[in-house]
């Protein structure tokens, strides 16, 4: 799978954490399922932490959390894990999306 594929996640912030939501027929999300080895049923309603593993940088994860808490966008390089345990490097862009009143409604996670 080419690393230049676009992976798109809609992360809706909840008190329990972020959830992966699926938009019917979105090809970019389907690419993620193929690339990661997980099925739609396995990841819907989960957060992206399941992609982390023993060599995933805690500092990078904390950087993402800081930017989310400050309602700021960020771009990071992250080591993720597929279902089979193999790794892949991810250039991850996280951006807050605001509603009409200016409040953050959700975050979009894009991996170009």
């Amino acid at each position: 799978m080419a690393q230049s594929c676009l992976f798109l996640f809609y992360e809706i912030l909840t008190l329990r954490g972020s959830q992966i939501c699926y938009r019917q027929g979105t090809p970019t999300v389907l690419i993620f399922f193929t690339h990661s080895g997980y099925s739609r049923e396995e990841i819907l309603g989960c957060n992206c932490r399941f992609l982390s593993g023993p060599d995933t940088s805690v500092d990078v994860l904390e950087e993402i959390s800081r930017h989310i808490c400050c309602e700021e966008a960020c771009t990071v390089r992250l080591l993720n894990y597929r279902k089979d345990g193999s790794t892949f490097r991810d250039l991850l862009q996280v951006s807050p999306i605001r509603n009409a009143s200016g409040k953050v409604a959700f975050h979009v996670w894009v991996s170009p």
Side-chain angles (χ1 to χ4, degrees), residues 68-99:
I68 288 173
C69 289
C70 293
E71 299 183 351
E72 300 172 339
C74 69
T75 301
V76 297
R77 290 201 180 276
L78 188 62
L79 180 71
N80 282 325
Y81 288 78
R82 294 180 183 91
K83 184 177 180 177
D84 67 7
S86 63
T87 61
F88 64 99
R89 295 239 175 239
D90 202 2
L91 178 64
L92 181 64
Q93 299 169 337
V94 181
S95 298
I97 303 299
R98 299 180 185 279
N99 61 20

Side-chain angles (χ1 to χ4, degrees), residues 10-28:
Y10 292 93
E11 294 257 337
I12 300 175
L13 297 180
T14 66
L15 293 177
R16 295 187 327 239
S18 301
Q19 296 179 343
I20 295 176
C21 300
Y22 175 70
R23 188 171 162 176
Q24 185 67 32
T26 305
T28 54

